[in-house]
Amino acid sequence: MEVKTSLLDNMIGVGDMVLLEPLSEDSFLENLRKRFDHSEIYTYIGSVVISMNPYRSLPIFTPDKVEEYRNRNFYELSPHIYALADEAYRSLRDQDKDQCILITGESGAGKTEASKLVMSYVAAVCGKGQEVNKVKEQLLQSNPVLEAFGNAKTVRNDNSSRFGKYMDIEFDFKGDPLGGVISNYLLEKSRVVKQPRGERNFHVFYQLLSGASDDTLRKLKLDRDFSKYNYLSLDSAAVNGLDDAANFRTVRNAMQIVGFMEDEVQSVLELVAAVLKLGNIEFKPESRCNGTDESRIKDKNDLKEMCELLGIEQSVLERAFSYRTVEAKMEKVSTTLNVAQAYYARDALAKNLYSRLFSWLVTRINESIKAQAKTRHKVMGVLDIYGFEIFEDNSFEQFIINYCNEKLQQIFIELTLREEQEEYVREGIEWTNIEYFNNAVICDLIENNQNGILAMLDEECLRPGTVTDETFLDKLNTICAEHQHFESRLSKNSKFLTDHSLPHNCFRIQHYAGKVLYRAEGFVDKNNDLLYRDLSQAMYKANHSLIKQLFPEGNPAKVNLKRPPTAGFQFKASVGTLMRNLQTKNPNYIRCIKPNDKKASHIFTESLVRHQLRYLGLMENVRVRRAGYAFRQAYEPCLERYKMLCKRTWPHWRGPAREGVEVLMSDLQVPGEEFSYGRSKIFIRNPRTLFFLEERRRQCLQDLATLIQKIYRGWKCRSHFLLLKESQIVVAAWYRRYAQQKKYQKIKSATTVVQSYTRGWQARKLLRELKYQKRCEEAATTIAAYWHGTQVRREYRKFFRANAGKKIYDFTIQRIMQKYFLGLKSTLPSMSPIDKNWPSRPYLFLDGVHKELRRIFHLWRCKKYRSQFTEEKKAVYEEKLEASEIFKDKKALYPSSVSQPFKGDYLEISKNPKYQKLNSAVEEKVLLADVVNKINRANGKGTARIFLLTKKSVVLADQKTGQVKASVPLPDLTSVSVSTQSDGFFALRLKEGSASAVKGDFLLSSEHLIEIITKLHHIGSTTADREQLNVDISDEFLVQFKQDKVCVKFIQGVPKNGNSVSCKRKNNRLLEVSVPTTA
């Protein structure tokens, strides 16, 4: 039976802050500290998970832990992020409810790691299969890509996410992942051009320079030395525990898994290299004749290399850095840029280039991981976004981030209260209004379309005339001065006139997490986020395909004179979309807390944690949760846990669980106002009541444990006594048996000795009698034998000499034959058919047998040798045998051809592309292909021709062009004439009157004469409907050339051209062939 543990068992501190008693900020902190010191990094606030960053590896994320929390009730086990992930996944799968998991906290609190744990848990518990595993792998591998381009080392975190990320993971009806969609928010693009001291630029720059191959860096025109690039900070270039080279390989592999093509990866790396090159471009001042200042590029080498990477004309980009064109209605005005403006333009281009590249990466990843099916999907969203930020110097970025957190806090309160109210209604318990701080007034102060801070900032940016941060602050002082959550030194509220902690160029907002002082400097510029149109158009002119996608506004054909939307407006719209999306889903919250600023384990800084506790609104969360009933539990597990507190319910309750709980609470005399009965749960108002039940249960368990121990010890002692008693009986029985056995053995041994002596005496007596009797019988037998021998010899002497000679002869012959066969067995020759050795004959009378055995042995080994042949080898030997029958002792060329194998296709006509056309012209299989010389009767000279032989015809073709010159069907061939000499001449004699005989016979010369004529003869002999081809071997024969017959005569002599055969025309009727004399 499986033993289930509870959230309340073996609890270190309080696992659920809702049960904390008394509730105060100090007790909250002390409970977190106690759990953190015991490596309990997760704590609940109802269904909210608080996660403390341990800054070390803990053995609580193993596959065994995944299985432990799989399909378990949320409060069934100790607090863990897996419990929340499992609850969200099961609600999505079983109840068809879309889920969202909101992860918040400051940089270094472990938000990114928490999102990875949630995704890895969901991937582990959902279905399996090739397609499902591919989708899971793509979803998980999107993280390394986004971390490389969107994360950086900060003073608080070595892998800090510098953007907000929301991922919707889509599932089918079975709960298997189909794909996902990623949304990104507010990338910190200012980090591209400037990093605070002790921090780094985005990881990808360092990974590229450390991990790329030398060949890749050469193509990108980069050097490994970080110090050569102005945009890379040097004081924190190397980070302990961070291997940039290995991470670069991981990112390349992840991009491949997600679905990036190789050319896309190369384009992305080129843009990263271009950003580094852009930072090295520097400007110098130059005065014009009209007295105005302008800027010029100091060293154009980096500009040149950047232009080569992006395919931009150098002059176009150089002009865009020096001039700015302003377009109004139908007029264009071009002004020069001074050095400060040029640097501003350079940095603006770098920031826009990188941020647009990052947005393109997110879009490209979405294309790869999006669900393919068009049916409705179940969705689980994971939000990993900045927590509330309060720094010494807070600017526009902190203002935007805190505005987002205000919206998240607002939706958290609304959804938490709605969830509480729905549960109360579902359980039939009366709902009472809960008093809480509603931060809608702060959200309205920031986002109101008429007089909100963002609206006034946009209005100030769009206003003609001189616009500065001071004019923006004046406008705030005018419009927001009476707002209770807005404070300024120059506002109409006179109570701040003497507040010297509030500088003149700052304003303060009372957020739900506390007061935050914002410096107005930079608000207007950062909200404008301007990129000069000249730079956009220069980028659009690039030959780089990706650049054109990133700067569509640079298209001259689509010039838009409208001012682009401000950064604040875009972020407000994105936050609105996100909030609408979250409101359609069931929320799950993970609040991440950083225990210290040293990134060290086992250190708990109380002031830092207190600060985070306040701005995350955790105390507010607990108060909202405890405003109604602090604890609720289903009747079955409640009765199972506390049934031992009542005699009527212990050990087994036979009725419904609710009735058992009612009996239990009545017996314990718990006040009625402390709890309420719902339809399926009991609701406990005060944690004291729950702790009272737990204390009674603990005491009862101790009593039960004592009772169990008492009964067990009694049972154990009785069992031991009975075992000893049983053992004593067994030992006594075995001893008595052993004693009787020993006594019996002694008696038996004595009896055996007496018996042995008696039997020995009797045996010796009998032996003496038998020996005497045997001697008597032997004496009588010996006397009889001698007497019978004498009688037999006397009778046998008469016949011995007549028959002894023949028997001795037969015996001798038999021994000689036996010796002969045994000697032959040991001296047999080898199994080779051409081995002519045979043992010599030992005796003359064995001559006939000796020869017959030699013949039989030779036939037998020939048969064994033939049985080893393949069909192809048999065919070759059959042709060789046929050649022997035709030419042996008739043709002087034959002996030299015996050792040469018949290859057949000497031209490899089917493989050689030169003869492809000729091969296609011949329909049958080619049996022989060779180059022959066709002899001209006019001069006796030869012309090279390709000779092809098939089962039906002989084809002659031109050697150079492959064109068929003649095709002779084999039935038209009557005979072949050759000489007896060592030449290669042969004449194909054609049937008179046939179509092939129009031009007469063919006189040809070939080095493979024997093979050609053998194959011709073999085809004729194996074809049933064709006459066998005659082979005429003579030194003089007639050849029909058209209408004339010419005599071909072969003579032996010394040809003029050395050792080769020569043919010469003597007259119109005679061709003389000179053959070298063979030695």
Side-chain angles (χ1 to χ4, degrees):
M1 179 180 175
E2 183 182 8
V3 178
K4 294 187 177 182
T5 59
S6 169
L7 171 70
L8 300 172
D9 287 332
N10 302 320
M11 189 166 54
I12 297 171
V14 178
D16 190 344
M17 291 293 186
V18 175
L19 305 178
L20 187 63
E21 189 71 23
L23 177 63
S24 65
E25 194 173 85
D26 291 336
S27 63
F28 196 107
L29 281 171
E30 184 57 32
N31 189 51
L32 283 181
R33 179 199 293 276
K34 182 185 295 184
R35 293 180 61 77
F36 180 76
D37 290 342
H38 289 82
S39 299
E40 293 287 342
I41 62 172
Y42 295 115
T43 308
Y44 292 156
I45 301 178
S47 60
V48 178
V49 176
I50 302 174
S51 171
M52 299 282 287
N53 191 344
Y55 287 114
R56 60 192 173 102
S57 297
L58 294 175
I60 59 173
F61 306 110
T62 60
D64 292 338
K65 277 290 180 183
V66 172
E67 288 302 319
E68 183 180 342
Y69 279 86
R70 186 173 185 172
N71 294 327
R72 302 294 282 267
N73 184 274
F74 185 77
Y75 296 104
E76 191 173 329
L77 301 174
S78 58
H80 201 291
I81 195 172
Y82 285 168
L84 181 137
D86 186 75
E87 182 76 12
Y89 176 71
R90 286 191 294 113
S91 297
L92 175 137
R93 182 192 63 193
D94 303 335
Q95 302 176 22
D96 201 19
K97 292 181 180 179
D98 289 349
Q99 304 290 316
C100 64
I101 298 176
L102 281 67
I103 307 172
T104 56
E106 72 172 52
S107 178
K111 300 188 300 299
T112 303
E113 200 62 33
S115 67
K116 290 181 185 177
L117 289 172
V118 169
M119 291 179 64
S120 64
Y121 179 85
V122 173
V125 300
C126 63
K128 302 291 187 292
Q130 183 176 358
E131 193 62 32
V132 173
N133 289 339
K134 178 184 176 183
V135 172
K136 289 194 289 189
E137 188 66 17
Q138 286 186 333
L139 291 172
L140 294 174
Q141 290 298 326
S142 64
N143 280 325
V145 180
L146 294 178
E147 284 184 16
F149 287 86
N151 288 24
K153 188 263 182 188
T154 65
V155 293
R156 298 184 174 186
N157 186 2
D158 291 342
N159 188 32
S160 175
S161 298
R162 308 317 299 160
F163 70 104
K165 181 179 74 173
Y166 177 73
M167 173 184 281
D168 267 335
I169 307 172
E170 300 176 338
F171 298 82
D172 62 9
F173 69 97
K174 298 178 295 184
D176 294 340
L178 297 173
V181 179
I182 299 173
S183 303
N184 65 299
Y185 301 96
L186 198 65
L187 176 72
E188 189 189 16
K189 57 187 176 181
S190 60
R191 181 171 293 272
V192 175
V193 299
K194 185 179 180 182
Q195 306 91 42
R197 187 170 184 81
E199 298 189 4
R200 294 205 314 177
N201 209 324
F202 292 103
H203 290 326
V204 68
F205 295 111
Y206 304 93
Q207 291 174 0
L208 175 61
L209 297 181
S210 300
S213 63
D214 294 336
D215 183 55
T216 302
L217 291 180
R218 186 165 54 255
K219 289 179 181 178
L220 298 177
K221 308 181 188 302
L222 295 176
D223 193 284
R224 291 197 190 277
D225 188 1
F226 297 155
S227 62
K228 294 186 177 181
Y229 304 101
N230 295 335
Y231 279 166
L232 300 184
S233 61
L234 300 179
D235 56 340
S236 300
V239 180
N240 292 332
L242 208 61
D243 188 347
D244 289 319
N247 289 339
F248 180 74
R249 293 189 290 272
T250 302
V251 171
R252 287 294 298 265
N253 182 57
M255 294 179 80
Q256 184 179 358
I257 293 174
V258 170
F260 282 82
M261 306 299 290
E262 192 59 38
D263 58 333
E264 291 178 325
V265 175
Q266 185 63 27
S267 298
V268 169
L269 295 181
E270 287 172 353
L271 263 64
V272 173
V275 172
L276 290 175
K277 291 290 181 184
L278 193 59
N280 287 353
I281 298 175
E282 296 183 346
F283 302 93
K284 58 182 179 181
E286 191 172 291
S287 299
R288 302 181 68 180
C289 55
N290 59 2
T292 59
D293 290 336
E294 62 180 18
S295 62
R296 287 287 181 267
I297 297 175
K298 288 183 181 179
D299 184 2
K300 298 183 180 181
N301 184 53
D302 286 306
L303 177 66
K304 176 185 176 184
E305 291 181 347
M306 175 189 166
C307 292
E308 290 174 355
L309 279 173
L310 302 182
I312 305 175
E313 290 186 20
Q314 183 176 340
S315 58
V316 173
L317 191 57
E318 187 176 356
R319 175 174 175 78
F321 280 135
S322 302
Y323 295 90
R324 178 187 179 188
T325 303
V326 179
E327 226 174 300
K329 295 183 179 179
M330 302 301 291
E331 296 183 359
K332 288 186 179 180
V333 179
S334 182
T335 60
T336 60
L337 300 178
N338 57 32
V339 172
Q341 291 172 330
Y343 276 117
Y344 174 83
R346 180 201 69 177
D347 291 346
L349 177 60
K351 291 187 290 186
N352 273 272
L353 183 60
Y354 191 83
S355 65
R356 296 184 189 201
L357 170 63
F358 186 78
S359 299
W360 180 85
L361 280 171
V362 173
T363 305
R364 179 64 183 82
I365 291 173
N366 285 338
E367 291 176 2
S368 295
I369 67 176
K370 68 180 179 183
Q372 302 299 322
K374 301 297 183 183
T375 56
R376 182 189 176 277
H377 309 137
K378 303 177 182 180
V379 177
M380 177 185 289
V382 180
L383 177 65
D384 174 8
I385 202 164
Y386 323 91
F388 203 89
E389 292 189 349
I390 305 176
F391 298 146
E392 291 183 6
D393 187 8
N394 300 290
S395 187
F396 180 74
E397 291 85 0
Q398 282 68 47
F399 176 76
I400 289 294
I401 291 168
N402 293 344
Y403 160 60
C404 179
N405 277 272
E406 286 285 357
K407 296 292 289 183
L408 288 174
Q409 176 68 8
Q410 184 181 26
I411 196 172
F412 168 73
I413 296 296
E414 290 177 1
L415 293 178
T416 302
L417 289 177
R418 186 174 69 190
E419 182 183 358
E420 287 280 295
Q421 185 175 7
E422 288 175 354
E423 184 172 18
Y424 280 31
V425 171
R426 189 168 57 247
E427 293 293 328
I429 293 179
E430 183 181 356
W431 171 257
T432 55
N433 287 326
I434 298 173
E435 295 295 330
Y436 67 95
F437 171 66
N438 189 346
N439 66 338
V441 62
I442 304 175
C443 295
D444 185 70
L445 169 66
I446 299 172
E447 66 182 3
N448 189 286
N449 291 329
Q450 300 297 326
N451 53 7
I453 295 176
L454 285 176
M456 287 185 284
L457 181 59
D458 286 349
E459 183 181 332
E460 193 68 12
C461 291
L462 298 174
R463 180 175 63 82
T466 303
V467 177
T468 63
D469 297 317
E470 287 74 17
T471 59
F472 165 63
L473 186 57
D474 289 341
K475 192 160 193 170
L476 289 182
N477 292 332
T478 304
I479 298 176
C480 302
E482 301 295 335
H483 199 285
Q484 57 180 342
H485 292 277
F486 178 84
E487 302 173 5
S488 171
R489 186 73 175 268
L490 302 178
S491 65
K492 296 179 181 179
N493 198 335
S494 60
K495 67 179 179 180
F496 300 115
L497 295 178
T498 59
D499 186 0
H500 298 289
S501 65
L502 189 63
H504 288 279
N505 62 339
C506 298
F507 62 93
R508 184 185 291 151
I509 294 179
Q510 176 71 47
H511 288 283
Y512 78 92
K515 294 183 179 181
V516 183
L517 182 68
Y518 297 102
R519 189 178 299 277
E521 182 182 349
F523 262 63
V524 173
D525 280 343
K526 291 176 181 178
N527 189 50
N528 270 325
D529 194 22
L530 284 179
L531 178 67
Y532 297 149
R533 186 178 288 112
D534 302 74
L535 289 172
S536 299
Q537 292 176 350
M539 290 293 105
Y540 188 80
K541 292 177 182 177
N543 293 328
H544 200 281
S545 57
L546 186 52
I547 288 287
K548 283 185 179 294
Q549 297 179 41
L550 300 184
F551 293 89
E553 75 276 10
N555 187 353
K558 299 179 181 179
V559 175
N560 186 4
L561 297 181
K562 288 183 64 177
R563 193 181 186 92
T566 62
F569 178 83
Q570 295 179 43
F571 189 73
K572 176 183 173 183
S574 300
V575 169
T577 304
L578 175 63
M579 295 303 123
R580 288 190 295 273
N581 192 354
L582 295 180
Q583 284 178 337
T584 63
K585 296 177 173 61
N586 185 50
N588 302 271
Y589 298 92
I590 301 174
R591 305 293 199 180
C592 298
I593 293 179
K594 182 168 64 172
N596 60 78
D597 275 328
K598 299 178 180 179
K599 307 174 193 173
S601 58
H602 303 294
I603 297 178
F604 187 93
T605 306
E606 184 175 328
S607 58
L608 178 64
V609 176
R610 187 186 299 272
H611 171 69
Q612 295 172 81
L613 184 151
R614 288 174 178 171
Y615 75 64
L616 286 173
L618 299 184
M619 291 294 295
E620 187 77 12
N621 294 359
V622 178
R623 292 191 182 99
V624 169
R625 185 76 182 188
R626 288 180 58 161
Y629 292 89
F631 183 78
R632 69 241 25 216
Q633 191 174 29
Y635 290 122
E636 288 80 2
C638 180
L639 180 62
E640 184 68 24
R641 186 170 182 82
Y642 301 114
K643 64 183 180 180
M644 73 281 296
L645 304 183
C646 175
K647 293 181 179 180
R648 296 166 62 187
T649 57
W650 176 258
H652 299 293
W653 173 257
R654 302 299 180 183
R658 173 168 176 167
E659 293 180 6
V661 173
E662 291 175 353
V663 168
L664 176 67
M665 300 302 283
S666 174
D667 189 72
L668 292 174
Q669 298 180 357
V670 179
E673 64 272 10
E674 287 295 321
F675 63 92
S676 293
Y677 295 114
R679 292 190 176 92
S680 64
K681 296 179 182 179
I682 181 173
F683 288 75
I684 297 175
R685 185 179 301 278
N686 200 305
R688 287 194 301 271
T689 304
L690 180 65
F691 293 143
F692 163 74
L693 293 175
E694 283 296 312
E695 180 63 23
R696 289 289 302 273
R697 180 177 181 271
R698 187 182 63 80
Q699 293 174 358
C700 189
L701 286 176
Q702 288 179 352
D703 295 340
L704 287 173
T706 304
L707 177 62
I708 292 170
Q709 287 175 350
K710 181 184 73 173
I711 295 174
Y712 171 74
R713 286 169 182 156
W715 169 83
K716 188 174 181 181
C717 289
R718 281 193 302 274
S719 300
H720 184 64
F721 167 74
L722 293 175
L723 182 62
L724 289 176
K725 182 179 179 181
E726 184 180 352
S727 300
Q728 186 271 333
I729 295 171
V730 171
V731 169
W734 276 86
Y735 176 75
R736 285 194 293 270
R737 174 188 175 188
Y738 170 76
Q740 291 299 320
Q741 282 179 340
K742 293 296 286 185
K743 183 178 179 181
Y744 168 75
Q745 291 292 341
K746 286 181 181 180
I747 297 172
K748 182 179 180 182
S749 177
T751 305
T752 303
V753 170
V754 173
Q755 288 177 347
S756 66
Y757 275 100
T758 303
R759 290 189 187 111
W761 173 76
Q762 291 176 346
R764 285 191 296 274
K765 180 180 177 182
L766 179 62
L767 179 63
R768 283 193 299 271
E769 293 174 355
L770 291 175
K771 281 183 178 180
Y772 175 76
Q773 184 181 352
K774 182 178 180 183
R775 282 198 298 272
C776 293
E777 290 176 355
E778 286 178 351
T781 303
T782 301
I783 293 170
Y786 273 96
W787 168 249
H788 288 307
T790 302
Q791 292 296 106
V792 169
R793 283 192 296 273
R794 189 177 294 169
E795 292 294 325
Y796 190 68
R797 268 192 207 102
K798 302 174 184 179
F799 308 101
F800 177 73
R801 291 183 181 177
N803 298 318
K806 186 176 184 303
K807 289 186 177 293
I808 293 171
Y809 173 78
D810 290 343
F811 177 75
T812 304
I813 292 298
Q814 184 179 359
R815 292 297 297 164
I816 289 173
M817 291 295 292
Q818 185 179 9
K819 182 179 179 182
Y820 167 68
F821 283 118
L822 290 174
L824 189 63
K825 176 183 177 183
S826 61
T827 58
L828 283 177
S830 67
M831 294 295 291
S832 174
I834 61 174
D835 187 359
K836 296 184 178 181
N837 294 324
W838 186 250
S840 61
R841 178 194 62 202
Y843 302 100
L844 183 61
F845 76 91
L846 294 174
D847 185 56
V849 175
H850 197 66
K851 289 180 180 178
E852 185 63 19
L853 285 175
R854 181 177 184 176
R855 185 183 70 80
I856 292 171
F857 177 76
H858 180 68
L859 292 176
W860 175 75
R861 69 182 177 183
C862 287
K863 181 181 177 182
K864 296 290 284 186
Y865 184 76
R866 287 195 304 274
S867 65
Q868 299 173 2
F869 287 176
T870 61
E871 293 298 326
E872 292 80 4
K873 201 169 183 181
K874 284 182 181 179
V876 171
Y877 277 98
E878 285 176 359
E879 288 184 350
K880 283 289 184 179
L881 184 61
E882 193 167 350
S884 173
E885 293 172 354
I886 298 171
F887 296 106
K888 187 175 181 181
D889 299 331
K890 298 177 184 178
K891 177 73 173 173
L893 185 64
Y894 171 72
S896 63
S897 71
V898 173
S899 61
Q900 298 177 357
F902 287 173
K903 186 177 178 182
D905 189 0
Y906 291 93
L907 302 181
E908 295 184 345
I909 193 166
S910 60
K911 299 178 182 179
N912 197 332
K914 179 179 178 182
Y915 304 121
Q916 185 176 1
K917 182 178 179 183
L918 178 60
N919 187 36
S920 61
V922 179
E923 297 179 355
E924 300 87 8
K925 179 182 178 182
V926 176
L927 302 177
L928 187 142
D930 193 15
V931 177
V932 301
N933 287 321
K934 181 177 177 296
I935 307 303
N936 192 342
R937 64 166 289 189
N939 52 15
K941 295 183 178 179
T943 305
R945 290 285 186 268
I946 296 174
F947 181 88
L948 302 180
L949 174 61
T950 67
K951 286 187 177 182
K952 295 184 179 180
S953 62
V954 173
V955 179
L956 291 175
D958 187 86
Q959 185 185 13
K960 295 182 179 179
T961 64
Q963 182 179 359
V964 177
K965 293 294 185 181
S967 178
V968 180
L970 291 182
D972 292 350
L973 199 62
T974 59
S975 63
V976 181
S977 297
V978 296
S979 71
T980 62
Q981 308 295 326
S982 59
D983 62 280
F985 282 75
F986 65 98
L988 300 179
R989 310 288 294 279
L990 305 180
K991 187 186 293 183
E992 293 184 4
S994 64
S996 304
V998 175
K999 294 185 179 181
D1001 300 336
F1002 294 97
L1003 181 60
L1004 308 171
S1005 173
S1006 171
E1007 294 180 357
H1008 305 100
L1009 168 74
I1010 301 298
E1011 183 177 357
I1012 292 174
I1013 294 176
T1014 300
K1015 287 187 181 293
L1016 282 170
H1017 187 272
H1018 183 71
I1019 293 172
S1021 63
T1022 55
T1023 307
D1025 60 345
R1026 195 176 301 158
E1027 296 181 3
Q1028 188 171 351
L1029 183 68
N1030 294 324
V1031 180
D1032 179 20
I1033 303 176
S1034 173
D1035 286 345
E1036 189 172 331
F1037 52 80
L1038 294 176
V1039 179
Q1040 180 77 35
F1041 286 118
K1042 292 187 179 179
Q1043 303 301 325
D1044 300 328
K1045 289 189 176 181
V1046 177
C1047 177
V1048 180
K1049 185 177 182 181
F1050 295 84
I1051 61 172
Q1052 289 189 349
V1054 181
K1056 296 179 182 180
N1057 55 352
N1059 293 327
S1060 62
V1061 180
S1062 65
C1063 181
K1064 185 176 180 182
R1065 177 184 175 188
K1066 290 296 185 178
N1067 53 52
N1068 289 337
R1069 301 292 180 178
L1070 178 64
L1071 282 175
E1072 190 175 84
V1073 181
S1074 296
V1075 183
T1077 305
T1078 56

